[in-house]
Amino acid sequence: TLLKTPNWRPRFRYYHWALSFMGMALCVGIMFITSWYYALTVFFIAFAIYKYIEFQGAEKEWGDGIRGLALSAARFSLLRLEVNPPHAKNWRPQLMLLAKLDTELQPIYPQLLDLANQLKAGSGLVIVGSVIRGNFLEVSDQAKRATANLRADLSDHKVR
């Protein structure tokens, strides 16, 4: 598939999206050759069903195609970074900030977020993390709360 999603099932050895598109185009062409008014009627009914489902607000659990495209492009870009060495004019600062949390799972030194934001100069990358000791199954709720707190602090300090 175009996005190379892992849930795509065809295992036909010679599968290619262009072959499927050609099959669809041939089917539509034969529909119009045999009976153009039935073909238009079928397209109108299919469009009406689509609009009805869209109007009724059916729950969609198919994933977002644009998000899939963005993730695919990000993966491709990250893999290309390893191939070529970085050029000096393309260098961007990459910082990792380990935040120490208090008992309420808030960062003890939130000023470090401002410092990291200044060091990256608006064009770098900041990865913020923290360590919570314990068994993951026992502290997973704490980890979720800490993640939410860190994201809120990142938003408050305008760190992107």
Side-chain angles (χ1 to χ4, degrees):
T1 65
L2 182 64
L3 299 178
K4 296 191 177 16
T5 53
N7 61 352
W8 184 249
R9 289 181 177 75
R11 297 289 181 232
F12 181 55
R13 185 174 181 206
Y14 302 106
Y15 173 77
H16 193 267
W17 67 268
L19 183 65
S20 298
F21 183 79
M22 186 175 66
M24 183 269 313
L26 285 172
C27 286
V28 170
I30 290 173
M31 282 174 60
F32 278 99
I33 289 172
T34 56
S35 179
W36 65 270
Y37 46 90
Y38 283 135
L40 285 177
T41 305
V42 167
F43 276 109
F44 175 74
I45 291 171
F47 182 75
I49 290 172
Y50 173 78
K51 283 299 181 184
Y52 174 76
I53 292 172
E54 185 180 60
F55 178 73
Q56 290 296 322
E59 256 185 63
K60 300 176 188 108
E61 298 179 13
W62 306 324
D64 185 5
I66 300 298
R67 183 166 168 82
L69 205 66
L71 289 173
S72 179
R75 180 184 176 276
F76 175 76
S77 297
L78 287 172
L79 290 175
R80 288 220 29 212
L81 284 176
E82 291 182 359
V83 175
N84 300 327
H87 194 275
K89 69 179 180 182
N90 295 330
W91 180 86
R92 301 289 185 270
Q94 299 173 13
L95 306 169
M96 181 172 178
L97 175 66
L98 290 174
K100 187 173 183 179
L101 304 178
D102 60 13
T103 55
E104 281 106 33
L105 301 174
Q106 295 287 344
I108 293 177
Y109 306 109
Q111 301 87 358
L112 287 176
L113 296 172
D114 291 327
L115 176 65
N117 200 23
Q118 289 177 357
L119 287 176
K120 75 180 184 78
S123 64
L125 173 69
V126 175
I127 299 173
V128 180
S130 186
V131 176
I132 299 175
R133 292 184 184 204
N135 184 355
F136 178 74
L137 296 175
E138 296 170 0
V139 297
S140 63
D141 291 335
Q142 291 178 353
K144 289 177 185 175
R145 280 188 289 139
T147 301
N149 291 342
L150 285 172
R151 287 188 185 187
D153 281 344
L154 285 170
S155 178
D156 291 344
H157 293 269
K158 296 178 177 64
V159 178
R160 297 187 193 273

